[in-house]
Amino acid sequence: MSQISAGAPKEKLASRTAAMIVMGISTLYFLVPIWWLFIGSTKSREQFSSTAGLWFADFNLFTNIADLFAYNDGVYLRWMLNSIVYASFGALLGTLFAAMCGYALAKYRFPGRELIFNTVLGGVLVPATALALPLFLIFSQFNATNTFWSVFLPSIVSPFGVYLARIFAAASVPDELLEAARLDGAGEVRTFFSVSRRLMTPALVTIFLFQFVAIWNNFFLPLIMLRDQTLFPVTLGLYTWNSQVNQIPEIRTFVIIGAFLSIIPLIIAFLSLQRFWRGGLGAGSVK
Amino acid sequence: MHIKNSKRIVALGVLAALSLTGCAAGGSSGGSGGDAAACAPSDGKVDLTFTSWIPGIDKVVDIWNKENPDIQVTVQTGPNGNGGTYKNFFNQLSAGNAPDLGQIEYDALPNFRVQDGLTNIASCKNVTESKDDFIDWTWNQVTFGEDDAVYAIPQDTGPMAMYYRKDLFEKAGIPVPTTWDEYAAAAKTIRSQGGYITNFPQNDVNWFAGLVWQADGRWFSNDGDKWDVTLTSPESEKVADYWQGLISNDLVSKVPAWTDEWNNAYNTGSDWTWISAVWGANSISSGAPDTSGNWAVAPMPQWKAGDTKAGNWGGSSTAVLKGSKHPYEAAQFALWLNTSDEALTALNKEANLYPATKAGLKLPVLSEGVDFYGGQKIYDTFATAANETNPDFVWGPTMTQTYGDVADGFGEVLGGTGTLTDALKTGQQKTIDALDAAAIPVNK
């Protein structure tokens, strides 16, 4: 008896330690590249290749940032701004459409509902990369390639968001509440915006974040669509620079520091929205 | 089988038809007459688009725009050619919205030619007349040896020479090698002192092609009907055997090029030389900053003592793409960009481009001593090399594939199996297969 009670905490401790080790290793695994990027950003070009990659040499972070912002008339800042505009407005509209669509699919009964839903679900399986070339040819028909819209419009579609919104609306928006709202005289649109949207908030934050990250990281579509560098998102801009590093080594510093700065908005978005996000995932899984 | 044959006939037909028509094709403003009439100036103000990945080229184009209010050029950009811009060009060509002008490297030009992506600007004003302004070999790259044909204006070149650690050679008492035999002998001495004479890169197959080029070898030729693939020509195999010897005897390092490890090998003095192009000057000075002042440049080692032959690695042209409505203006701009002193000086300043014109080699910026190389006027050596480059080297129409397949073979050699000659043999066969699959006529 006493043996068992003595063994239990030990076992608990052992499994806990194991879990901590696994988590520690995976944290390290994910953080080391970012650490490397940060260290690289603080080094001058001379020291970048001649000093150890994971520890500081002379601290040049701010000089590097200033140089980056000044290079090529500050085109980097323009790219960051573009990315922020593409990602935040694209994610906002994408979330709105996904929410409305998912909500309609969950709460209204109409012929063809399952067909529509299954079609949208099929869209989840088609990688965005595969659609880039057809989109380019379609936009070419309208002379709309190399415009803001050629990247923005395809970004506001999110089949996965529709799927998530439908599941979440079905689980968290009670039909009784909608009945009550209708009895009180609210129209369908008003019911959606003032009642259902609030109940769906955790899911919407999740969709927003997913979509934000997807647009921020989207590379192939801008690569094919855009030629005017003032329209580039930061991913394409950095790739463009990186392809020049062999011939023009000066750019290497800008690629490193640029890549480091480009992840900061993502980190901000996650940190500020993660509270809602955790709630969303949890709520969805319980119900 | 039927389909394949008819495809081939179509491809042949396209080739034949192309050599007959000039700028006329592709809806140019000049109508559908003969070549001479086809390239006429447009009325009124003309707007051109020009896609290039050279950083800072927009500043050079600004100079043109200021001087030519009636021909305004908008610079568009993207990643380097193989990084995506060539794919984009082909997509845009098939969608009919390609830019008027595009940057295309010499080794990619045949691909665009075979796929009918270029406009013949031979009949445009001053184009054929400018032939003698350019380094001989570059002109053959843009005409493909066809009569009455010019498909692009040469922009820059990458003449090759030998960068070497002057201080280390002097200290070790090794004379600077002037032949490949002396180079191999020096490699042994250097190895016995713990260093490597140079590095053999797996992926820089175009570097290897530059060495074959110096040995008067050719990888491709085209008699107007069919392509000949000769990766396994005697000259090519001679170069392969030579480097195979160095690799087998552990006389060269095998670090992947362009990595930190590679930079470090130069920075710490474990690698002593680099046979490379003119633009490599910057790669060393930025990758190996601690060795400043210790480097020098000498001509490439020769196969026969007393010869003066050089290879070339890299370089590109400005092409007028198919479908441009203003080939005349586009050609004038391309000529200005690549021949005028102000543009060439600006291109060199902004992006290190080394001019493809004979006059450009004498630009003031290119006749100064360079501190990193102990004050040596290194560009004199490269200017000589540019003029010593064999004018007959021809690139094939599927170089990305050829590079990839040969690099795979090189990788195996560096891993310890097979030989460089095997790699070339495999590359040869796969290139023939690829041409065949693309319905491009090829001698098997």
Side-chain angles (χ1 to χ4, degrees):
Chain A
M1 224 22 204
S2 63
Q3 253 181 336
I4 294 169
S5 58
K10 217 185 217 171
E11 204 174 308
K12 216 173 160 191
L13 192 73
S15 69
R16 224 184 189 181
T17 322
M20 288 305 279
I21 289 175
V22 171
M23 277 195 288
I25 289 175
S26 33
T27 313
L28 212 63
Y29 181 79
F30 288 113
L31 287 184
V32 163
I34 297 178
W35 175 249
W36 181 89
L37 198 58
F38 172 65
I39 294 293
S41 311
T42 66
K43 288 181 183 172
S44 68
R45 185 155 57 85
E46 289 73 31
Q47 288 179 330
F48 178 77
S49 55
S50 53
T51 57
L54 292 175
W55 197 246
F56 296 100
D58 297 340
F59 195 78
N60 277 313
L61 180 63
F62 298 107
T63 339
N64 286 346
I65 293 179
D67 288 350
L68 169 71
F69 288 176
Y71 181 71
N72 209 340
D73 303 325
V75 73
Y76 178 80
L77 288 174
R78 175 79 199 215
W79 293 342
M80 280 294 265
L81 185 73
N82 289 342
S83 272
I84 290 169
V85 171
Y86 287 129
S88 41
F89 288 97
L92 215 60
L93 275 182
T95 309
L96 178 71
F97 292 149
M100 290 166 82
C101 186
Y103 172 77
L105 287 169
K107 289 298 162 190
Y108 299 110
R109 292 179 192 287
F110 52 91
R113 181 171 79 150
E114 289 311 309
L115 183 71
I116 293 177
F117 184 63
N118 287 335
T119 312
V120 173
L121 216 53
V124 177
L125 300 176
V126 181
T129 331
L131 297 176
L133 190 55
L135 280 171
F136 172 78
L137 294 173
I138 294 169
F139 273 82
S140 291
Q141 300 281 320
F142 302 100
N143 281 330
T145 60
N146 196 27
T147 59
F148 171 80
W149 302 105
S150 64
V151 173
F152 186 77
L153 287 181
S155 304
I156 59 178
V157 180
S158 166
F160 181 69
V162 173
Y163 164 77
L164 213 64
R166 177 186 174 161
I167 301 292
F168 200 84
S172 68
V173 184
D175 286 337
E176 295 80 0
L177 207 61
L178 297 182
E179 281 303 316
R182 281 178 196 133
L183 285 177
D184 286 342
E188 293 303 322
V189 175
R190 182 159 170 214
T191 312
F192 171 75
F193 279 105
S194 44
V195 179
S196 315
R197 181 189 57 79
R198 282 162 210 265
L199 292 168
M200 287 167 71
T201 299
L204 298 190
V205 172
T206 309
I207 297 171
F208 178 85
L209 271 178
F210 269 125
Q211 193 63 4
F212 187 90
V213 175
I215 301 174
W216 190 274
N217 289 340
N218 192 2
F219 162 72
F220 202 63
L221 184 72
L223 170 69
I224 285 189
M225 288 286 188
L226 300 179
R227 309 180 217 168
D228 180 352
Q229 69 167 356
T230 56
L231 292 173
F232 284 8
V234 70
T235 42
L236 178 58
L238 288 175
Y239 176 76
T240 304
W241 277 354
N242 195 40
S243 74
Q244 288 301 302
V245 164
N246 284 0
Q247 256 85 359
I248 305 172
E250 292 84 355
I251 301 183
R252 180 189 277 242
T253 325
F254 300 141
V255 175
I256 304 260
I257 179 88
F260 176 68
L261 293 184
S262 79
I263 58 175
I264 290 175
L266 286 182
I267 295 175
I268 293 175
F270 265 86
L271 290 185
S272 56
L273 292 174
Q274 71 167 345
R275 203 156 42 94
F276 303 98
W277 198 24
R278 266 199 313 233
L281 285 181
S285 57
V286 172
K287 281 168 186 171
Chain B
M1 202 54 212
H2 268 281
I3 295 167
K4 215 172 180 185
N5 271 334
S6 61
K7 253 172 108 180
R8 178 167 307 171
I9 289 161
V10 170
L12 263 173
V14 167
L15 269 177
L18 272 174
S19 45
L20 293 176
T21 51
C23 301
S28 80
S29 58
S32 55
D35 334 2
C39 192
S42 309
D43 296 328
K45 186 169 172 272
V46 170
D47 289 308
L48 299 173
T49 49
F50 170 37
T51 299
S52 166
W53 55 85
I54 304 292
I57 203 164
D58 45 331
K59 305 234 166 41
V60 186
V61 174
D62 283 346
I63 305 175
W64 164 272
N65 284 340
K66 247 176 231 142
E67 293 168 6
N68 297 274
D70 287 340
I71 307 175
Q72 290 292 300
V73 180
T74 309
V75 174
Q76 306 178 324
T77 185
N80 69 10
N82 288 322
T85 292
Y86 294 151
K87 269 240 156 62
N88 282 352
F89 281 162
F90 283 121
N91 290 340
Q92 291 153 5
L93 283 164
S94 60
N97 55 13
D100 295 286
L101 297 131
Q103 170 126 12
I104 301 179
E105 287 152 297
Y106 298 118
D107 57 358
L109 274 173
N111 192 9
F112 281 88
R113 174 78 186 94
V114 165
Q115 301 203 37
D116 192 16
L118 305 173
T119 298
N120 185 352
I121 51 172
S123 56
C124 298
K125 195 179 125 198
N126 291 341
V127 171
T128 35
E129 290 82 346
S130 69
K131 174 178 188 225
D132 292 333
D133 294 344
F134 291 95
I135 309 275
D136 296 341
W137 72 264
T138 63
W139 199 253
N140 287 347
Q141 300 288 314
V142 298
T143 60
F144 308 103
E146 298 170 27
D147 296 330
D148 293 324
V150 179
Y151 291 95
I153 304 294
Q155 177 162 70
D156 68 313
T157 64
M160 293 169 84
M162 179 177 73
Y163 297 92
Y164 67 101
R165 282 291 298 275
K166 198 171 184 214
D167 57 330
L168 296 179
F169 272 85
E170 274 168 10
K171 216 172 100 193
I174 307 170
V176 177
T178 57
T179 65
W180 287 111
D181 284 339
E182 289 173 22
Y183 191 77
K188 280 197 191 104
T189 320
I190 292 170
R191 191 73 198 101
S192 69
Q193 302 193 3
Y196 285 107
I197 192 160
T198 191
N199 183 66
F200 190 89
Q202 181 197 337
N203 289 312
D204 292 334
V205 176
N206 41 4
W207 166 81
F208 190 83
L211 299 176
V212 174
W213 192 334
Q214 186 217 11
D216 288 334
R218 287 166 79 169
W219 276 5
F220 294 88
S221 51
N222 182 352
D223 61 5
D225 284 335
K226 275 187 167 185
W227 286 88
D228 235 337
V229 186
T230 48
L231 265 66
T232 50
S233 67
E235 297 85 2
S236 187
E237 290 198 356
K238 174 172 76 175
V239 177
D241 286 344
Y242 177 85
W243 287 91
Q244 182 64 49
L246 295 182
I247 294 171
S248 304
N249 294 318
D250 188 35
L251 297 176
V252 289
S253 62
K254 300 163 197 160
V255 175
W258 310 107
T259 58
D260 288 342
E261 200 183 355
W262 180 77
N263 279 329
N264 247 335
Y266 284 108
N267 199 31
T268 56
S270 98
D271 280 359
W272 286 30
T273 74
W274 187 29
I275 311 288
S276 181
V278 57
W279 45 263
N282 260 27
S283 313
I284 303 183
S285 58
S286 76
D290 296 349
T291 58
S292 179
N294 297 333
W295 289 84
V297 177
M300 278 175 94
Q302 300 294 319
W303 286 103
K304 226 169 75 197
D307 269 0
T308 50
K309 290 179 178 177
N312 182 79
W313 181 14
S316 54
S317 67
T318 311
V320 180
L321 294 175
K322 202 94 207 180
S324 168
K325 292 193 170 59
H326 308 289
Y328 175 88
E329 287 77 10
Q332 301 315 306
F333 168 74
L335 279 174
W336 172 85
L337 181 69
N338 299 315
T339 58
S340 76
D341 279 0
E342 54 183 341
L344 292 177
T345 309
L347 282 172
N348 183 266
K349 185 171 143 265
E350 294 287 342
N352 281 325
L353 292 193
Y354 191 71
T357 59
K358 290 169 188 161
L361 303 182
K362 301 183 185 99
L363 285 180
V365 280
L366 296 176
S367 38
E368 290 161 10
V370 184
D371 290 343
F372 190 87
Y373 299 91
Q376 187 190 350
K377 293 182 176 173
I378 59 169
Y379 295 106
D380 291 352
T381 311
F382 290 107
T384 315
N387 286 312
E388 291 169 355
T389 305
N390 187 322
D392 296 327
F393 194 84
V394 176
W395 295 108
T398 57
M399 286 320 296
T400 322
Q401 163 271 322
T402 305
Y403 289 153
D405 285 324
V406 175
D408 285 349
F410 282 6
E412 282 176 24
V413 175
L414 297 180
T417 53
T419 64
L420 295 179
T421 310
D422 293 342
L424 291 176
K425 273 186 191 137
T426 314
Q428 161 98 2
Q429 192 51 49
K430 292 206 167 166
T431 303
I432 292 175
D433 293 347
L435 290 174
D436 209 28
I440 298 168
V442 58
N443 284 320
K444 285 181 212 168

